[in-house]
Amino acid sequence: MNRTKSAELFEKAKTYFPGGVNSPVRAFKSVGGTPLFIKKADGSKLWDEDDNEFIDFCYSWGPMILGHNNSKIREKVWEAIQNGTSYGAPTALENELAELILSNNRFIEKIRFVSSGTEAVMSAVRLARGFTGRNKIIKFEGCYHGHVDSLLVKAGSGLITFGNSSSAGVPEGIVNDTIVLPLNRIDLVQKVFHDYPNEIAAIIIEPVPANNGLLQVSPEFLFCLNCNAKKNGALMIFDEVISGFRVGFEGAAGLYQIEPDIVTYGKIIGGGFPVGAYGASKEIMSCVSPDGDVYQAGTLSGNPVAMAAGIAALTECLKPGFYEQLSKKTERLTEAILKHTQNKGYPFRIFRKESIFWLSFASQDVNAADEIDPKGMDKFRILHAYLLDNGVYFGPSGYEVGFISAAHSDADIDYAAQKICEGLDLAYMK
Ligand SMILES: *Cc1c(COP(=O)(O)O)cnc(C)c1O
């Protein structure tokens, strides 16, 4: 496969950007080789600058649930863009997207649009602290919440640890208020509330943890977390940047029928444009500026072009059968792969939550980030390289999940399943 142009562009890019990229995982560090520079995309397909064609399962890391270059989104964006691109003043489009979301979501009453998932989470944490007048936050090992300073933490050596910053440039003082716990251990959550009464502002979790493999979290655990938060005067934040509008229109809150206090969104909400959002009850949202004293603002927040894209995308998501159809397709893919790997007796699993899937190169359950065997990543590298050579695009890291879109045809799924099986045969030969 010819990758000359991508290789040239990457060399040039390295002179402009750290690592040649504007977001680290794009650099292909964990699989090796040269990132593909994408020229265009349509439906289920991507084309790189060397005109190689791929069936996409990365989908810009989740936002493109309708597939690429969707005509409904394109038309709505085109309509909006003819009137200008940003006014820094309210628009009817913001109302329209808010109405679409709020009238189809039982868990939030008011919303605020921002420009990324990170910004949504950062604002939600500030809101929780402002609302409760408390500082400490509980987060879980293996959950990713964007590059928010106070959440760039990893667990230390004990079971209950205050954050050790996982990035240079994050002062200790900032992560000192973040308590990191393993997933699925409600006893430890209870202990933290016992040890720090009236100090915990919020518990934040990815209710479908999909940024470190697809970790299995029981609905009972989420339910108990929510009860513990409410019992102790802390807020429950569901970070649904990846699961919102993905595992169902109401995200994991709807899937599990659990009512968090604050929900964050991103990715799908902007139809492929940079949009994030956070929402909560009227009471909690009344703390946000200018109604309340929790300051949060954005020059391009509620950008009309991005709102138009979000409206078009979410309108499609609301059509009857949309999520059932995605789930069925995902099952078609995972069943075909599992049939093969079980026949071969490979130690291998596929974890799936609706239209999110993740390949695990081991036979056991994966309930926590540290249960992912790093040795499996050698197998992923072999699989990833084989798939690229055969026109199937997966995110360039074995810790990343794959996504199914409405644009995948059965033929796409069957072709990809076959290539994945062949790639796994290669990976398990070694
Ligand atoms: C992607 C993601 C974020 C960060 O969103 P950005 O738009 O990349 O800033 C935060 N939380 C979760 C759960 C995510 O999946």
Side-chain angles (χ1 to χ4, degrees), residues 1 3 36 53-55 57 357 359 380-395 415-424 426:
M1 179 175 285
R3 290 186 194 141
L36 301 180
E53 181 181 295
F54 304 89
I55 301 171
F57 290 91
F357 65 93
L359 314 183
F380 180 80
R381 267 191 287 281
I382 295 168
L383 173 67
H384 188 263
Y386 182 82
L387 291 179
L388 280 191
D389 285 342
N390 286 277
V392 177
Y393 190 87
F394 267 47
Y415 174 82
Q418 187 196 330
K419 293 300 155 192
I420 291 166
C421 292
E422 290 169 14
L424 287 171
L426 265 183

PDB file of all heavy atoms in Angstrom, residues 1 3 36 53-55 57 357 359 380-395 415-424 426:
ATOM      1  N   MET A   1       0.839  -1.209   0.000  1.00  0.00           N
ATOM      2  CA  MET A   1       0.000   0.000   0.000  1.00  0.00           C
ATOM      3  C   MET A   1       0.874   1.259   0.000  1.00  0.00           C
ATOM      4  O   MET A   1       1.794   1.370   0.793  1.00  0.00           O
ATOM      5  CB  MET A   1      -0.904  -0.007   1.235  1.00  0.00           C
ATOM      6  CG  MET A   1      -1.771   1.217   1.324  1.00  0.00           C
ATOM      7  SD  MET A   1      -2.923   1.141   2.698  1.00  0.00           S
ATOM      8  CE  MET A   1      -4.122  -0.021   2.073  1.00  0.00           C
ATOM      9  N   ARG A   3       1.920   4.820   0.865  1.00  0.00           N
ATOM     10  CA  ARG A   3       1.632   5.837   1.890  1.00  0.00           C
ATOM     11  C   ARG A   3       2.575   7.029   1.771  1.00  0.00           C
ATOM     12  O   ARG A   3       2.867   7.702   2.742  1.00  0.00           O
ATOM     13  CB  ARG A   3       1.750   5.222   3.284  1.00  0.00           C
ATOM     14  CG  ARG A   3       0.619   4.265   3.535  1.00  0.00           C
ATOM     15  CD  ARG A   3       0.579   3.729   4.936  1.00  0.00           C
ATOM     16  NE  ARG A   3      -0.328   2.598   4.933  1.00  0.00           N
ATOM     17  CZ  ARG A   3      -0.147   1.475   5.601  1.00  0.00           C
ATOM     18  NH1 ARG A   3       0.905   1.318   6.366  1.00  0.00           N
ATOM     19  NH2 ARG A   3      -1.021   0.499   5.513  1.00  0.00           N
ATOM     20  N   LEU A  36      -2.114   8.100   8.971  1.00  0.00           N
ATOM     21  CA  LEU A  36      -2.653   8.414   7.654  1.00  0.00           C
ATOM     22  C   LEU A  36      -3.225   9.815   7.692  1.00  0.00           C
ATOM     23  O   LEU A  36      -3.921  10.187   8.638  1.00  0.00           O
ATOM     24  CB  LEU A  36      -3.751   7.413   7.297  1.00  0.00           C
ATOM     25  CG  LEU A  36      -3.296   5.961   7.286  1.00  0.00           C
ATOM     26  CD1 LEU A  36      -4.457   5.053   6.920  1.00  0.00           C
ATOM     27  CD2 LEU A  36      -2.136   5.769   6.318  1.00  0.00           C
ATOM     28  N   GLU A  53      -8.484   3.521   0.330  1.00  0.00           N
ATOM     29  CA  GLU A  53      -9.847   3.550   0.876  1.00  0.00           C
ATOM     30  C   GLU A  53      -9.966   2.641   2.097  1.00  0.00           C
ATOM     31  O   GLU A  53      -9.392   1.554   2.113  1.00  0.00           O
ATOM     32  CB  GLU A  53     -10.808   3.069  -0.223  1.00  0.00           C
ATOM     33  CG  GLU A  53     -12.259   3.070   0.195  1.00  0.00           C
ATOM     34  CD  GLU A  53     -13.168   2.558  -0.933  1.00  0.00           C
ATOM     35  OE1 GLU A  53     -13.244   3.225  -1.990  1.00  0.00           O
ATOM     36  OE2 GLU A  53     -13.780   1.497  -0.731  1.00  0.00           O
ATOM     37  N   PHE A  54     -10.668   3.113   3.100  1.00  0.00           N
ATOM     38  CA  PHE A  54     -10.831   2.340   4.339  1.00  0.00           C
ATOM     39  C   PHE A  54     -12.280   2.348   4.791  1.00  0.00           C
ATOM     40  O   PHE A  54     -12.962   3.359   4.676  1.00  0.00           O
ATOM     41  CB  PHE A  54      -9.997   2.947   5.472  1.00  0.00           C
ATOM     42  CG  PHE A  54      -8.540   3.075   5.154  1.00  0.00           C
ATOM     43  CD1 PHE A  54      -8.046   4.225   4.545  1.00  0.00           C
ATOM     44  CD2 PHE A  54      -7.658   2.041   5.432  1.00  0.00           C
ATOM     45  CE1 PHE A  54      -6.700   4.342   4.222  1.00  0.00           C
ATOM     46  CE2 PHE A  54      -6.310   2.152   5.114  1.00  0.00           C
ATOM     47  CZ  PHE A  54      -5.833   3.303   4.511  1.00  0.00           C
ATOM     48  N   ILE A  55     -12.721   1.250   5.363  1.00  0.00           N
ATOM     49  CA  ILE A  55     -13.986   1.248   6.115  1.00  0.00           C
ATOM     50  C   ILE A  55     -13.633   1.707   7.518  1.00  0.00           C
ATOM     51  O   ILE A  55     -12.736   1.145   8.162  1.00  0.00           O
ATOM     52  CB  ILE A  55     -14.616  -0.158   6.171  1.00  0.00           C
ATOM     53  CG1 ILE A  55     -14.884  -0.671   4.760  1.00  0.00           C
ATOM     54  CG2 ILE A  55     -15.919  -0.119   6.989  1.00  0.00           C
ATOM     55  CD1 ILE A  55     -15.295  -2.136   4.733  1.00  0.00           C
ATOM     56  N   PHE A  57     -13.922   2.496  11.501  1.00  0.00           N
ATOM     57  CA  PHE A  57     -14.517   2.092  12.780  1.00  0.00           C
ATOM     58  C   PHE A  57     -14.072   3.007  13.916  1.00  0.00           C
ATOM     59  O   PHE A  57     -14.337   2.745  15.071  1.00  0.00           O
ATOM     60  CB  PHE A  57     -14.167   0.627  13.105  1.00  0.00           C
ATOM     61  CG  PHE A  57     -14.866  -0.344  12.193  1.00  0.00           C
ATOM     62  CD1 PHE A  57     -14.261  -0.759  11.012  1.00  0.00           C
ATOM     63  CD2 PHE A  57     -16.138  -0.797  12.481  1.00  0.00           C
ATOM     64  CE1 PHE A  57     -14.916  -1.631  10.144  1.00  0.00           C
ATOM     65  CE2 PHE A  57     -16.806  -1.667  11.624  1.00  0.00           C
ATOM     66  CZ  PHE A  57     -16.186  -2.085  10.446  1.00  0.00           C
ATOM     67  N   PHE A 357     -17.699  -1.165  20.684  1.00  0.00           N
ATOM     68  CA  PHE A 357     -17.103  -2.483  20.922  1.00  0.00           C
ATOM     69  C   PHE A 357     -15.605  -2.353  21.167  1.00  0.00           C
ATOM     70  O   PHE A 357     -14.977  -1.366  20.784  1.00  0.00           O
ATOM     71  CB  PHE A 357     -17.380  -3.437  19.748  1.00  0.00           C
ATOM     72  CG  PHE A 357     -16.727  -3.010  18.446  1.00  0.00           C
ATOM     73  CD1 PHE A 357     -15.467  -3.485  18.089  1.00  0.00           C
ATOM     74  CD2 PHE A 357     -17.364  -2.121  17.591  1.00  0.00           C
ATOM     75  CE1 PHE A 357     -14.854  -3.084  16.892  1.00  0.00           C
ATOM     76  CE2 PHE A 357     -16.757  -1.720  16.394  1.00  0.00           C
ATOM     77  CZ  PHE A 357     -15.509  -2.203  16.056  1.00  0.00           C
ATOM     78  N   LEU A 359     -11.981  -4.963  21.425  1.00  0.00           N
ATOM     79  CA  LEU A 359     -11.347  -6.275  21.339  1.00  0.00           C
ATOM     80  C   LEU A 359     -10.369  -6.436  22.489  1.00  0.00           C
ATOM     81  O   LEU A 359      -9.513  -5.578  22.713  1.00  0.00           O
ATOM     82  CB  LEU A 359     -10.588  -6.410  20.011  1.00  0.00           C
ATOM     83  CG  LEU A 359     -11.314  -5.966  18.729  1.00  0.00           C
ATOM     84  CD1 LEU A 359     -10.443  -6.243  17.507  1.00  0.00           C
ATOM     85  CD2 LEU A 359     -12.648  -6.676  18.591  1.00  0.00           C
ATOM     86  N   PHE A 380      -2.519  -6.481  19.176  1.00  0.00           N
ATOM     87  CA  PHE A 380      -3.290  -5.410  18.530  1.00  0.00           C
ATOM     88  C   PHE A 380      -2.488  -4.748  17.418  1.00  0.00           C
ATOM     89  O   PHE A 380      -3.020  -4.441  16.346  1.00  0.00           O
ATOM     90  CB  PHE A 380      -3.766  -4.356  19.537  1.00  0.00           C
ATOM     91  CG  PHE A 380      -4.557  -3.268  18.858  1.00  0.00           C
ATOM     92  CD1 PHE A 380      -5.888  -3.461  18.524  1.00  0.00           C
ATOM     93  CD2 PHE A 380      -3.953  -2.057  18.495  1.00  0.00           C
ATOM     94  CE1 PHE A 380      -6.617  -2.480  17.851  1.00  0.00           C
ATOM     95  CE2 PHE A 380      -4.673  -1.082  17.817  1.00  0.00           C
ATOM     96  CZ  PHE A 380      -6.008  -1.289  17.503  1.00  0.00           C
ATOM     97  N   ARG A 381      -1.187  -4.524  17.679  1.00  0.00           N
ATOM     98  CA  ARG A 381      -0.334  -3.891  16.652  1.00  0.00           C
ATOM     99  C   ARG A 381      -0.339  -4.695  15.354  1.00  0.00           C
ATOM    100  O   ARG A 381      -0.435  -4.134  14.262  1.00  0.00           O
ATOM    101  CB  ARG A 381       1.112  -3.780  17.156  1.00  0.00           C
ATOM    102  CG  ARG A 381       1.418  -2.460  17.821  1.00  0.00           C
ATOM    103  CD  ARG A 381       2.921  -2.301  18.067  1.00  0.00           C
ATOM    104  NE  ARG A 381       3.395  -3.155  19.150  1.00  0.00           N
ATOM    105  CZ  ARG A 381       3.250  -2.874  20.439  1.00  0.00           C
ATOM    106  NH1 ARG A 381       2.682  -1.757  20.816  1.00  0.00           N
ATOM    107  NH2 ARG A 381       3.672  -3.696  21.364  1.00  0.00           N
ATOM    108  N   ILE A 382      -0.238  -6.015  15.485  1.00  0.00           N
ATOM    109  CA  ILE A 382      -0.231  -6.876  14.295  1.00  0.00           C
ATOM    110  C   ILE A 382      -1.581  -6.783  13.575  1.00  0.00           C
ATOM    111  O   ILE A 382      -1.649  -6.608  12.358  1.00  0.00           O
ATOM    112  CB  ILE A 382       0.068  -8.338  14.701  1.00  0.00           C
ATOM    113  CG1 ILE A 382       1.491  -8.435  15.278  1.00  0.00           C
ATOM    114  CG2 ILE A 382      -0.105  -9.281  13.513  1.00  0.00           C
ATOM    115  CD1 ILE A 382       1.800  -9.748  15.973  1.00  0.00           C
ATOM    116  N   LEU A 383      -2.643  -6.854  14.358  1.00  0.00           N
ATOM    117  CA  LEU A 383      -3.989  -6.748  13.787  1.00  0.00           C
ATOM    118  C   LEU A 383      -4.182  -5.398  13.092  1.00  0.00           C
ATOM    119  O   LEU A 383      -4.657  -5.327  11.952  1.00  0.00           O
ATOM    120  CB  LEU A 383      -5.031  -6.907  14.904  1.00  0.00           C
ATOM    121  CG  LEU A 383      -6.487  -6.650  14.496  1.00  0.00           C
ATOM    122  CD1 LEU A 383      -6.968  -7.717  13.514  1.00  0.00           C
ATOM    123  CD2 LEU A 383      -7.403  -6.607  15.722  1.00  0.00           C
ATOM    124  N   HIS A 384      -3.770  -4.334  13.769  1.00  0.00           N
ATOM    125  CA  HIS A 384      -3.979  -2.983  13.234  1.00  0.00           C
ATOM    126  C   HIS A 384      -3.262  -2.804  11.900  1.00  0.00           C
ATOM    127  O   HIS A 384      -3.832  -2.267  10.937  1.00  0.00           O
ATOM    128  CB  HIS A 384      -3.501  -1.950  14.257  1.00  0.00           C
ATOM    129  CG  HIS A 384      -3.853  -0.539  13.886  1.00  0.00           C
ATOM    130  ND1 HIS A 384      -2.964   0.314  13.257  1.00  0.00           N
ATOM    131  CD2 HIS A 384      -5.008   0.158  14.028  1.00  0.00           C
ATOM    132  CE1 HIS A 384      -3.555   1.478  13.040  1.00  0.00           C
ATOM    133  NE2 HIS A 384      -4.795   1.409  13.504  1.00  0.00           N
ATOM    134  N   ALA A 385      -2.022  -3.272  11.832  1.00  0.00           N
ATOM    135  CA  ALA A 385      -1.245  -3.139  10.595  1.00  0.00           C
ATOM    136  C   ALA A 385      -1.911  -3.935   9.470  1.00  0.00           C
ATOM    137  O   ALA A 385      -2.039  -3.451   8.333  1.00  0.00           O
ATOM    138  CB  ALA A 385       0.187  -3.621  10.819  1.00  0.00           C
ATOM    139  N   TYR A 386      -2.372  -5.145   9.796  1.00  0.00           N
ATOM    140  CA  TYR A 386      -3.032  -5.975   8.781  1.00  0.00           C
ATOM    141  C   TYR A 386      -4.313  -5.300   8.277  1.00  0.00           C
ATOM    142  O   TYR A 386      -4.598  -5.281   7.077  1.00  0.00           O
ATOM    143  CB  TYR A 386      -3.349  -7.368   9.348  1.00  0.00           C
ATOM    144  CG  TYR A 386      -3.978  -8.286   8.327  1.00  0.00           C
ATOM    145  CD1 TYR A 386      -3.195  -8.972   7.400  1.00  0.00           C
ATOM    146  CD2 TYR A 386      -5.364  -8.446   8.270  1.00  0.00           C
ATOM    147  CE1 TYR A 386      -3.774  -9.788   6.441  1.00  0.00           C
ATOM    148  CE2 TYR A 386      -5.954  -9.257   7.322  1.00  0.00           C
ATOM    149  CZ  TYR A 386      -5.155  -9.930   6.408  1.00  0.00           C
ATOM    150  OH  TYR A 386      -5.727 -10.733   5.455  1.00  0.00           O
ATOM    151  N   LEU A 387      -5.062  -4.726   9.200  1.00  0.00           N
ATOM    152  CA  LEU A 387      -6.324  -4.082   8.812  1.00  0.00           C
ATOM    153  C   LEU A 387      -6.076  -2.871   7.919  1.00  0.00           C
ATOM    154  O   LEU A 387      -6.778  -2.664   6.925  1.00  0.00           O
ATOM    155  CB  LEU A 387      -7.128  -3.679  10.056  1.00  0.00           C
ATOM    156  CG  LEU A 387      -7.687  -4.851  10.869  1.00  0.00           C
ATOM    157  CD1 LEU A 387      -8.444  -4.338  12.093  1.00  0.00           C
ATOM    158  CD2 LEU A 387      -8.578  -5.751  10.021  1.00  0.00           C
ATOM    159  N   LEU A 388      -5.061  -2.063   8.251  1.00  0.00           N
ATOM    160  CA  LEU A 388      -4.754  -0.908   7.398  1.00  0.00           C
ATOM    161  C   LEU A 388      -4.387  -1.378   5.992  1.00  0.00           C
ATOM    162  O   LEU A 388      -4.831  -0.794   5.002  1.00  0.00           O
ATOM    163  CB  LEU A 388      -3.593  -0.099   7.976  1.00  0.00           C
ATOM    164  CG  LEU A 388      -3.897   0.868   9.117  1.00  0.00           C
ATOM    165  CD1 LEU A 388      -2.673   1.758   9.349  1.00  0.00           C
ATOM    166  CD2 LEU A 388      -5.133   1.723   8.851  1.00  0.00           C
ATOM    167  N   ASP A 389      -3.596  -2.437   5.918  1.00  0.00           N
ATOM    168  CA  ASP A 389      -3.202  -2.961   4.599  1.00  0.00           C
ATOM    169  C   ASP A 389      -4.400  -3.492   3.820  1.00  0.00           C
ATOM    170  O   ASP A 389      -4.325  -3.662   2.608  1.00  0.00           O
ATOM    171  CB  ASP A 389      -2.178  -4.093   4.761  1.00  0.00           C
ATOM    172  CG  ASP A 389      -0.798  -3.554   5.121  1.00  0.00           C
ATOM    173  OD1 ASP A 389      -0.558  -2.346   4.916  1.00  0.00           O
ATOM    174  OD2 ASP A 389       0.038  -4.335   5.616  1.00  0.00           O
ATOM    175  N   ASN A 390      -5.477  -3.797   4.545  1.00  0.00           N
ATOM    176  CA  ASN A 390      -6.641  -4.390   3.884  1.00  0.00           C
ATOM    177  C   ASN A 390      -7.884  -3.506   3.935  1.00  0.00           C
ATOM    178  O   ASN A 390      -9.009  -3.979   3.841  1.00  0.00           O
ATOM    179  CB  ASN A 390      -6.925  -5.759   4.490  1.00  0.00           C
ATOM    180  CG  ASN A 390      -5.894  -6.784   4.029  1.00  0.00           C
ATOM    181  OD1 ASN A 390      -6.006  -7.347   2.956  1.00  0.00           O
ATOM    182  ND2 ASN A 390      -4.854  -6.978   4.829  1.00  0.00           N
ATOM    183  N   GLY A 391      -7.654  -2.200   4.116  1.00  0.00           N
ATOM    184  CA  GLY A 391      -8.767  -1.257   3.950  1.00  0.00           C
ATOM    185  C   GLY A 391      -9.742  -1.190   5.109  1.00  0.00           C
ATOM    186  O   GLY A 391     -10.920  -0.874   4.904  1.00  0.00           O
ATOM    187  N   VAL A 392      -9.268  -1.458   6.334  1.00  0.00           N
ATOM    188  CA  VAL A 392     -10.136  -1.313   7.508  1.00  0.00           C
ATOM    189  C   VAL A 392      -9.419  -0.411   8.513  1.00  0.00           C
ATOM    190  O   VAL A 392      -8.282  -0.683   8.898  1.00  0.00           O
ATOM    191  CB  VAL A 392     -10.446  -2.681   8.151  1.00  0.00           C
ATOM    192  CG1 VAL A 392     -11.281  -2.500   9.420  1.00  0.00           C
ATOM    193  CG2 VAL A 392     -11.166  -3.594   7.155  1.00  0.00           C
ATOM    194  N   TYR A 393     -10.076   0.685   8.907  1.00  0.00           N
ATOM    195  CA  TYR A 393      -9.434   1.672   9.772  1.00  0.00           C
ATOM    196  C   TYR A 393      -9.954   1.569  11.201  1.00  0.00           C
ATOM    197  O   TYR A 393     -11.132   1.827  11.476  1.00  0.00           O
ATOM    198  CB  TYR A 393      -9.689   3.088   9.232  1.00  0.00           C
ATOM    199  CG  TYR A 393      -8.861   4.156   9.916  1.00  0.00           C
ATOM    200  CD1 TYR A 393      -7.582   4.471   9.472  1.00  0.00           C
ATOM    201  CD2 TYR A 393      -9.370   4.861  11.013  1.00  0.00           C
ATOM    202  CE1 TYR A 393      -6.825   5.449  10.104  1.00  0.00           C
ATOM    203  CE2 TYR A 393      -8.616   5.837  11.644  1.00  0.00           C
ATOM    204  CZ  TYR A 393      -7.340   6.124  11.183  1.00  0.00           C
ATOM    205  OH  TYR A 393      -6.591   7.094  11.807  1.00  0.00           O
ATOM    206  N   PHE A 394      -9.066   1.199  12.110  1.00  0.00           N
ATOM    207  CA  PHE A 394      -9.349   1.196  13.552  1.00  0.00           C
ATOM    208  C   PHE A 394      -8.534   2.323  14.187  1.00  0.00           C
ATOM    209  O   PHE A 394      -7.459   2.662  13.689  1.00  0.00           O
ATOM    210  CB  PHE A 394      -8.882  -0.135  14.175  1.00  0.00           C
ATOM    211  CG  PHE A 394      -9.959  -1.186  14.253  1.00  0.00           C
ATOM    212  CD1 PHE A 394     -10.771  -1.460  13.167  1.00  0.00           C
ATOM    213  CD2 PHE A 394     -10.155  -1.908  15.425  1.00  0.00           C
ATOM    214  CE1 PHE A 394     -11.751  -2.430  13.245  1.00  0.00           C
ATOM    215  CE2 PHE A 394     -11.144  -2.886  15.509  1.00  0.00           C
ATOM    216  CZ  PHE A 394     -11.941  -3.147  14.425  1.00  0.00           C
ATOM    217  N   GLY A 395      -9.011   2.879  15.281  1.00  0.00           N
ATOM    218  CA  GLY A 395      -8.205   3.836  16.034  1.00  0.00           C
ATOM    219  C   GLY A 395      -6.853   3.213  16.355  1.00  0.00           C
ATOM    220  O   GLY A 395      -6.787   2.015  16.635  1.00  0.00           O
ATOM    221  N   TYR A 415     -17.246  -7.699   5.386  1.00  0.00           N
ATOM    222  CA  TYR A 415     -15.872  -7.591   4.884  1.00  0.00           C
ATOM    223  C   TYR A 415     -14.910  -7.340   6.052  1.00  0.00           C
ATOM    224  O   TYR A 415     -13.880  -8.018   6.181  1.00  0.00           O
ATOM    225  CB  TYR A 415     -15.759  -6.446   3.866  1.00  0.00           C
ATOM    226  CG  TYR A 415     -14.331  -6.201   3.418  1.00  0.00           C
ATOM    227  CD1 TYR A 415     -13.750  -6.981   2.418  1.00  0.00           C
ATOM    228  CD2 TYR A 415     -13.552  -5.204   4.026  1.00  0.00           C
ATOM    229  CE1 TYR A 415     -12.432  -6.781   2.038  1.00  0.00           C
ATOM    230  CE2 TYR A 415     -12.227  -4.999   3.650  1.00  0.00           C
ATOM    231  CZ  TYR A 415     -11.669  -5.790   2.650  1.00  0.00           C
ATOM    232  OH  TYR A 415     -10.359  -5.592   2.285  1.00  0.00           O
ATOM    233  N   ALA A 416     -15.268  -6.386   6.913  1.00  0.00           N
ATOM    234  CA  ALA A 416     -14.387  -6.057   8.033  1.00  0.00           C
ATOM    235  C   ALA A 416     -14.229  -7.256   8.967  1.00  0.00           C
ATOM    236  O   ALA A 416     -13.115  -7.553   9.424  1.00  0.00           O
ATOM    237  CB  ALA A 416     -14.933  -4.851   8.802  1.00  0.00           C
ATOM    238  N   ALA A 417     -15.332  -7.961   9.220  1.00  0.00           N
ATOM    239  CA  ALA A 417     -15.261  -9.125  10.117  1.00  0.00           C
ATOM    240  C   ALA A 417     -14.270 -10.140   9.564  1.00  0.00           C
ATOM    241  O   ALA A 417     -13.447 -10.698  10.306  1.00  0.00           O
ATOM    242  CB  ALA A 417     -16.645  -9.748  10.273  1.00  0.00           C
ATOM    243  N   GLN A 418     -14.340 -10.354   8.265  1.00  0.00           N
ATOM    244  CA  GLN A 418     -13.434 -11.327   7.647  1.00  0.00           C
ATOM    245  C   GLN A 418     -11.982 -10.887   7.797  1.00  0.00           C
ATOM    246  O   GLN A 418     -11.106 -11.673   8.153  1.00  0.00           O
ATOM    247  CB  GLN A 418     -13.796 -11.488   6.167  1.00  0.00           C
ATOM    248  CG  GLN A 418     -13.019 -12.597   5.482  1.00  0.00           C
ATOM    249  CD  GLN A 418     -13.103 -12.490   3.960  1.00  0.00           C
ATOM    250  OE1 GLN A 418     -14.108 -11.999   3.435  1.00  0.00           O
ATOM    251  NE2 GLN A 418     -12.060 -12.928   3.283  1.00  0.00           N
ATOM    252  N   LYS A 419     -11.728  -9.600   7.554  1.00  0.00           N
ATOM    253  CA  LYS A 419     -10.349  -9.106   7.658  1.00  0.00           C
ATOM    254  C   LYS A 419      -9.871  -9.130   9.110  1.00  0.00           C
ATOM    255  O   LYS A 419      -8.698  -9.395   9.386  1.00  0.00           O
ATOM    256  CB  LYS A 419     -10.249  -7.676   7.088  1.00  0.00           C
ATOM    257  CG  LYS A 419     -10.481  -7.609   5.597  1.00  0.00           C
ATOM    258  CD  LYS A 419      -9.452  -8.458   4.849  1.00  0.00           C
ATOM    259  CE  LYS A 419      -9.973  -8.925   3.497  1.00  0.00           C
ATOM    260  NZ  LYS A 419      -9.107  -9.969   2.884  1.00  0.00           N
ATOM    261  N   ILE A 420     -10.774  -8.838  10.031  1.00  0.00           N
ATOM    262  CA  ILE A 420     -10.394  -8.889  11.447  1.00  0.00           C
ATOM    263  C   ILE A 420     -10.029 -10.324  11.834  1.00  0.00           C
ATOM    264  O   ILE A 420      -9.020 -10.562  12.509  1.00  0.00           O
ATOM    265  CB  ILE A 420     -11.535  -8.335  12.345  1.00  0.00           C
ATOM    266  CG1 ILE A 420     -11.687  -6.818  12.119  1.00  0.00           C
ATOM    267  CG2 ILE A 420     -11.263  -8.618  13.829  1.00  0.00           C
ATOM    268  CD1 ILE A 420     -12.970  -6.216  12.668  1.00  0.00           C
ATOM    269  N   CYS A 421     -10.812 -11.283  11.364  1.00  0.00           N
ATOM    270  CA  CYS A 421     -10.502 -12.691  11.656  1.00  0.00           C
ATOM    271  C   CYS A 421      -9.135 -13.075  11.089  1.00  0.00           C
ATOM    272  O   CYS A 421      -8.327 -13.718  11.770  1.00  0.00           O
ATOM    273  CB  CYS A 421     -11.580 -13.611  11.098  1.00  0.00           C
ATOM    274  SG  CYS A 421     -13.155 -13.419  11.954  1.00  0.00           S
ATOM    275  N   GLU A 422      -8.872 -12.657   9.868  1.00  0.00           N
ATOM    276  CA  GLU A 422      -7.568 -12.965   9.259  1.00  0.00           C
ATOM    277  C   GLU A 422      -6.439 -12.308  10.051  1.00  0.00           C
ATOM    278  O   GLU A 422      -5.394 -12.914  10.299  1.00  0.00           O
ATOM    279  CB  GLU A 422      -7.525 -12.471   7.800  1.00  0.00           C
ATOM    280  CG  GLU A 422      -8.419 -13.264   6.861  1.00  0.00           C
ATOM    281  CD  GLU A 422      -8.584 -12.600   5.484  1.00  0.00           C
ATOM    282  OE1 GLU A 422      -7.809 -11.669   5.155  1.00  0.00           O
ATOM    283  OE2 GLU A 422      -9.515 -13.002   4.764  1.00  0.00           O
ATOM    284  N   GLY A 423      -6.657 -11.054  10.457  1.00  0.00           N
ATOM    285  CA  GLY A 423      -5.642 -10.336  11.242  1.00  0.00           C
ATOM    286  C   GLY A 423      -5.408 -11.001  12.588  1.00  0.00           C
ATOM    287  O   GLY A 423      -4.272 -11.063  13.074  1.00  0.00           O
ATOM    288  N   LEU A 424      -6.485 -11.510  13.185  1.00  0.00           N
ATOM    289  CA  LEU A 424      -6.337 -12.191  14.474  1.00  0.00           C
ATOM    290  C   LEU A 424      -5.553 -13.496  14.301  1.00  0.00           C
ATOM    291  O   LEU A 424      -4.736 -13.863  15.153  1.00  0.00           O
ATOM    292  CB  LEU A 424      -7.704 -12.463  15.097  1.00  0.00           C
ATOM    293  CG  LEU A 424      -8.420 -11.219  15.647  1.00  0.00           C
ATOM    294  CD1 LEU A 424      -9.854 -11.542  16.046  1.00  0.00           C
ATOM    295  CD2 LEU A 424      -7.658 -10.631  16.840  1.00  0.00           C
ATOM    296  N   LEU A 426      -3.195 -13.990  12.236  1.00  0.00           N
ATOM    297  CA  LEU A 426      -1.783 -13.570  12.188  1.00  0.00           C
ATOM    298  C   LEU A 426      -1.272 -13.245  13.597  1.00  0.00           C
ATOM    299  O   LEU A 426      -0.188 -13.680  13.991  1.00  0.00           O
ATOM    300  CB  LEU A 426      -1.658 -12.283  11.368  1.00  0.00           C
ATOM    301  CG  LEU A 426      -1.302 -12.373   9.905  1.00  0.00           C
ATOM    302  CD1 LEU A 426      -1.165 -10.951   9.346  1.00  0.00           C
ATOM    303  CD2 LEU A 426       0.005 -13.131   9.734  1.00  0.00           C
TER     304      LEU A 426
END
